[in-house]
Amino acid sequence: QVQLVESGGGLVQAGGSLRLSCAASGRTFSNYAMGWFRQAPGKEREFVAGISWSGTNTIYADSVKGRFTISRDNAKNTVYLQMNSLKPEDTAVYYCAVRNLDGNYYYDRSYGYWGQGTQVTVSS
């Protein structure tokens, strides 16, 4: 069992920055790849970024590439999402998840544990 708690969301103006954190507890965090997803009102949940267990490999959705950076600190059992140059269309609830199931980073069915989410609102 893994418990995930996201934090760092909030209200920011377009062009601003936020850093989301996801603290993990329970099973060995460093064994797993992790991902960030988001869900905007009336839309399906979508992949944002993923990171391998070691942090060596990262992958991003095209919509955030060059603006967002995913990282992790296995000593602190925490994964981060640095979000720069935020746009109103980035407004969503952001979720972190543990990729412990078969499948690639992009599909939410590849993730067996999810946090409760943190709201990010970007005003124009």
Side-chain angles (χ1 to χ4, degrees), residues 6-120:
E6 300 98 335
S7 61
L11 173 64
V12 64
Q13 289 188 334
S17 298
L18 284 174
R19 188 175 82 153
L20 306 183
S21 298
C22 173
S25 60
R27 297 176 70 178
T28 306
F29 170 78
S30 60
N31 287 349
Y32 300 105
M34 300 288 294
W36 283 96
F37 285 73
R38 66 186 181 187
Q39 187 167 22
K43 295 188 176 181
E44 292 187 354
R45 188 164 55 188
E46 65 174 0
F47 171 78
V48 175
I51 189 166
S52 61
W53 67 270
S54 65
T56 301
N57 298 310
T58 58
I59 186 170
Y60 298 92
D62 287 344
S63 58
V64 307
K65 202 172 293 183
R67 300 188 298 123
F68 290 11
T69 302
I70 188 172
S71 62
R72 67 190 296 163
D73 185 338
N74 286 342
K76 295 182 178 179
N77 285 356
T78 302
V79 63
Y80 304 97
L81 186 68
Q82 177 67 43
M83 305 186 296
N84 299 329
S85 302
L86 283 161
K87 304 175 181 180
E89 51 264 43
D90 294 318
T91 295
V93 177
Y94 283 71
Y95 300 90
C96 68
V98 176
R99 182 170 164 257
N100 63 317
L101 303 174
D102 290 340
N104 66 35
Y105 280 102
Y106 294 98
Y107 299 118
D108 58 8
R109 62 176 177 266
S110 303
Y111 299 79
Y113 300 99
W114 293 81
Q116 83 290 347
T118 186
Q119 176 71 48
V120 171

